Amino acid sequence: MRYRIVVAGQLGPRYSGAFDGMTVEPLAENTAIVGQITDQAHLQGVLERIASLGLRLVSVSGENDRAA
């Protein structure tokens, strides 16, 4: 499943390496981290990485990749 995880603030390029395989997209006041999450353990790992970096989580949303 593809996820869009939004964190508060603008993340610099140095954070891109912290989220392997995901895209870091700047927004107006926040930053979106977008990409494939394979399972619950993978999602938990990404959320733990966000917490360990001291980032504030704004939202998490998932979307199915399958076309309806």
Side-chain angles (χ1 to χ4, degrees):
M1 181 178 282
R2 183 175 165 89
Y3 275 83
R4 181 178 183 86
I5 302 167
V6 179
V7 296
Q10 294 285 324
L11 302 185
R14 69 186 181 121
Y15 285 95
S16 294
F19 303 101
D20 287 336
M22 301 187 82
T23 304
V24 177
E25 301 175 352
L27 304 174
E29 296 178 9
N30 299 316
T31 302
I33 302 163
V34 181
Q36 289 295 123
I37 302 285
T38 55
D39 56 24
Q40 278 300 112
H42 186 190
L43 177 59
Q44 186 64 38
V46 172
L47 296 176
E48 287 173 2
R49 172 65 54 96
I50 288 168
S52 73
L53 292 171
L55 303 174
R56 186 171 62 85
L57 185 64
V58 174
S59 67
V60 177
S61 58
E63 55 189 47
N64 254 332
D65 289 334
R66 294 182 208 137

